[in-house]
Amino acid sequence: MAVTSGHAHRDTVSLAEEQVRHWLKAQHYDGPVAEEGRHRVGSQAVLDCSLKERVRGAKGAKESLARWRLREFTLQGIWQTSLTVSTPTGGRTWVRLDAELLPARGVAVAKAPVPSLARGLLDVLSATEGEHPGAASLHAMPTVIERGDLDEVLDELCDPDRRLPIVVASTPSHTDFDDWLAETVDPLLRGCAGLAVLYALAPGAEREFNRALEHHRVFGGAVRTYLPGLDPAWQPDAQRHRVMARHTFESDLRRASGLLAWLPRRLAVQTPMPDALAALPPLRARGLTDSGAEIDGVQPGSLLVDTHEEEALEERARAGEIQEVRRWLRAAEERESELAAEYDEQYSELREARTEVRSLRGRLAAAGYPDLADHAPAERDLHNDPASFAELLERMDEFPLLRFTGDPRLTRDLDQQTDHPTWVRMAWDALLALQDYAEAAVRGESGGDFRRWCENTPADCHAFPPRKVIRDESRTVRSHGKWKSERELPVPLDVNPAGEVFMGAHLRIGGGGTAPRLHYHDDCSGTGRIYIGYMGLHLHNTRTN
């Protein structure tokens, strides 16, 4: 679990201390949680505390740290639970919680249950899933979505900077909502606490929720897991977001809870840690408050000190984790390949259908029925679309109000990627829509910026999904020196004497949070053009490495 706290570092540490104390007491352990060093808290358990550290973080900045680590020695190995509170100078406070088994030789890696400490922390931290504006709040139990909450929840679902999955449970018809929450939804989602944003749809909000997410609906008591990078405008994207039917968990609620938590757990392992939690030095607690150094039942050589045997246990656990992640990677790559083929085929079918609609409306207009034709544009020949990004760049002169100022090599490199045929078509659609918008903007008839234009595209213009249009980068990206400089892209001197501008506005080309991006600068009110400073793989931000 990695979340941001709604409190300052000192207050977060105090709240964490209190929750660690309650958690230990619930397990019949007893020991100081606000004192430096290593403490025996049970006959076969030790607690390491490091509360006043100042270290140099991954980016060289100073960070304030407070850490606790409970180790429970069993025949299976060491059950280890670690809690870290980390605050970079001038940054938000992050809280990380890990639970794992460091297995003894010959023992398989076991799945650690979500510790009750996670739920205790979420109850008091006012936690969010990231530090960017609009980051979703995390709670130990599902939050009910009422009709008045829909806009905010939809924004969270479509947030391009979202790190965590969002799990939404619907309600069966003719069911008491409170009973459904208490008896089914709460225990079903318990294993996702801290690893996903949890919601339950109130019956009165379900219809409008599904109307807004036409291709990503959830109803009838089903539960849906919405991954980061949600694109509600594209039907093929719906396949990424898994649905668990009601009958699956009604037959075996405990098993279904484990199945539902599997994907958030996998993502938690695979997703890179935020800077404030990355590359921290290992926790080395000093000494024992109890004079004894041995725990009954543990092999000689005492695991209470940082011995080579303990390090070997950790190394074997890490090797087991890597093996497991490799298995997940192979399965994900196979699924990615399948979905890419389906996505490519369905996107082609969608565009062909749109072309057919425009063609038929054009014929109606030519036959003297403009009301039925709905002001259709001329027929567009799909076979005339570029087959590669290299060809797309060569044909930029077909867009008189668009000017490409970026590095063409980075754009041509996209042709080496698996999904490039679909990406080329989406990028071409984006250029067509930008050209139509620019023509209207120069005449003063666009009605707003490009996002607004896409939300209200005239019938005789090329459409582009509005949720793929991002007006600006997050505050985190804008304040990060390296990330900001990557988006300071070239423009002519008559646009800016410096020869470059920050291009936070961008378009998502393809599905997913790390798909290619097209960054642009709208200068229709000045030079009468739109400048495309970058078209390539996703630039660095909080979700890329």
Side-chain angles (χ1 to χ4, degrees):
M1 178 179 89
V3 299
T4 58
S5 170
H7 306 276
H9 180 82
R10 181 177 297 177
D11 293 335
T12 301
V13 171
S14 296
L15 292 169
E17 284 179 357
E18 183 180 4
Q19 293 304 315
V20 170
R21 186 177 292 108
H22 292 328
W23 172 62
L24 291 175
K25 188 172 293 186
Q27 298 181 86
H28 308 291
Y29 292 145
D30 186 27
V33 300
E35 295 181 15
E36 292 280 334
R38 173 163 287 173
H39 315 286
R40 185 195 301 273
V41 294
S43 63
Q44 300 197 56
V46 291
L47 178 71
D48 296 327
C49 301
S50 179
L51 307 177
K52 298 178 181 178
E53 289 189 63
R54 290 281 287 178
V55 302
R56 191 169 297 279
K59 299 297 181 181
K62 292 287 185 179
E63 297 184 9
S64 300
L65 279 180
R67 296 190 282 188
W68 297 264
R69 180 178 62 196
L70 176 69
R71 289 184 166 183
E72 301 170 277
F73 298 90
T74 71
L75 294 177
Q76 293 174 289
I78 304 174
W79 285 98
Q80 176 170 287
T81 306
S82 306
L83 175 62
T84 300
V85 177
S86 176
T87 309
T89 301
R92 292 282 300 275
T93 297
W94 281 85
V95 177
R96 174 177 178 174
L97 179 65
D98 296 278
E100 59 188 330
L101 171 67
L102 309 179
R105 190 176 302 278
V107 176
V109 176
K111 182 178 73 173
V114 174
S116 60
L117 177 59
R119 289 182 282 273
L121 290 167
L122 291 175
D123 284 339
V124 299
L125 288 181
S126 302
T128 57
E129 62 97 27
E131 57 185 358
H132 59 280
S137 299
L138 268 81
H139 302 280
M141 306 295 281
T143 301
V144 175
I145 303 175
E146 303 287 358
R147 293 181 64 179
D149 305 321
L150 284 174
D151 287 345
E152 182 177 350
V153 173
L154 291 171
D155 285 344
E156 291 173 1
L157 284 164
C158 301
D159 182 356
D161 294 318
R162 174 159 64 91
R163 296 174 52 252
L164 299 183
I166 294 179
V167 180
V168 179
S170 62
T171 306
S173 56
H174 311 299
T175 300
D176 183 273
F177 182 54
D178 291 334
D179 289 346
W180 174 251
L181 281 180
E183 298 171 9
T184 302
V185 176
D186 289 348
L188 178 65
L189 272 54
R190 179 173 290 269
C192 298
L195 304 177
V197 181
L198 308 179
Y199 283 119
L201 268 171
E206 188 172 302
R207 178 174 294 182
E208 291 187 28
F209 180 87
N210 287 324
R211 186 181 295 122
L213 295 177
E214 178 184 1
H215 305 305
H216 301 72
R217 297 182 297 164
V218 59
F219 54 87
V223 177
R224 190 157 198 169
T225 302
Y226 296 95
L227 297 178
L230 174 72
D231 189 350
W234 298 97
Q235 184 174 0
D237 178 67
Q239 299 177 61
R240 294 194 307 119
H241 310 281
R242 300 180 178 181
V243 179
M244 178 177 282
R246 177 185 176 186
H247 65 79
T248 302
F249 48 83
E250 284 197 326
S251 58
D252 190 339
L253 189 60
R254 183 174 179 178
R255 176 177 177 274
S257 180
L259 290 173
L260 191 66
W262 180 83
L263 184 56
R265 281 175 173 269
R266 191 187 74 179
L267 292 176
V269 172
Q270 294 175 335
T271 303
M273 280 289 125
D275 287 347
L277 297 171
L280 295 176
L283 173 58
R284 300 293 186 187
R286 295 178 296 277
L288 275 170
T289 56
D290 191 323
S291 59
E294 260 187 59
I295 291 180
D296 296 338
V298 177
Q299 297 174 358
S302 182
L303 295 179
L304 287 180
V305 294
D306 292 315
T307 62
H308 293 300
E309 184 176 358
E310 185 172 349
E311 291 173 356
L313 282 172
E314 293 183 359
E315 186 61 33
R316 288 202 295 274
R318 297 294 178 264
E321 287 177 4
I322 291 171
Q323 263 191 335
E324 191 169 6
V325 170
R326 282 177 174 165
R327 288 196 296 271
W328 290 341
L329 177 60
R330 285 194 295 271
E333 286 174 340
E334 292 174 4
R335 182 61 176 154
E336 179 186 40
S337 179
E338 295 171 3
L339 289 175
E342 295 172 8
Y343 192 91
D344 191 58
E345 180 181 351
Q346 293 184 21
Y347 183 64
S348 297
E349 292 175 357
L350 172 64
R351 297 170 81 248
E352 288 173 0
R354 284 179 172 171
T355 300
E356 184 179 6
V357 168
R358 286 195 291 267
S359 173
L360 293 172
R361 286 176 172 168
R363 291 172 62 182
L364 285 171
Y369 296 93
D371 55 331
L372 295 177
D374 196 22
H375 308 290
E379 179 178 357
R380 174 181 167 194
D381 183 4
L382 277 177
H383 301 291
N384 193 40
D385 288 355
S388 67
F389 280 98
E391 182 184 348
L392 180 148
L393 290 177
E394 292 172 359
R395 294 175 57 183
M396 281 298 300
D397 57 359
E398 296 181 25
F399 305 97
L401 299 185
L402 308 184
R403 182 172 169 184
F404 182 76
T405 63
D407 187 340
R409 294 173 301 174
L410 299 176
T411 304
R412 295 191 191 102
D413 285 348
L414 293 175
D415 288 331
Q416 308 306 315
Q417 304 295 320
T418 303
D419 289 336
H420 87 88
T422 302
W423 292 347
V424 171
R425 287 191 286 271
M426 286 186 172
W428 190 252
D429 285 348
L431 297 178
L432 291 166
L434 281 167
Q435 174 67 26
D436 286 345
Y437 159 76
E439 291 174 358
V442 168
R443 298 193 303 267
E445 300 172 359
S446 62
D449 63 6
F450 184 55
R451 170 69 179 257
R452 181 66 181 273
W453 171 268
C454 292
E455 291 170 344
N456 302 277
T457 306
D460 58 346
C461 294
H462 297 95
F464 191 76
R467 290 195 180 275
K468 285 188 173 290
V469 182
I470 311 302
R471 287 189 169 104
D472 200 358
E473 293 285 11
S474 67
R475 182 176 61 184
T476 303
V477 170
R478 295 180 69 94
S479 61
H480 190 290
K482 180 182 177 182
W483 299 346
K484 180 182 178 182
S485 65
E486 286 183 345
R487 293 156 176 81
E488 289 172 344
L489 298 164
V491 292
L493 297 180
D494 55 347
V495 176
N496 189 339
E500 60 182 24
V501 297
F502 179 80
M503 296 191 188
H506 60 276
L507 310 180
R508 293 157 55 197
I509 306 300
T514 56
R517 297 295 190 261
L518 183 156
H519 287 256
Y520 67 95
H521 174 66
D522 182 352
D523 198 48
C524 290
S525 61
T527 59
R529 283 180 170 78
I530 293 175
Y531 299 93
I532 299 170
Y534 180 82
M535 193 188 311
L537 291 176
H538 198 308
L539 296 172
H540 291 88
N541 69 359
T542 54
R543 297 178 61 204
T544 59
N545 188 347

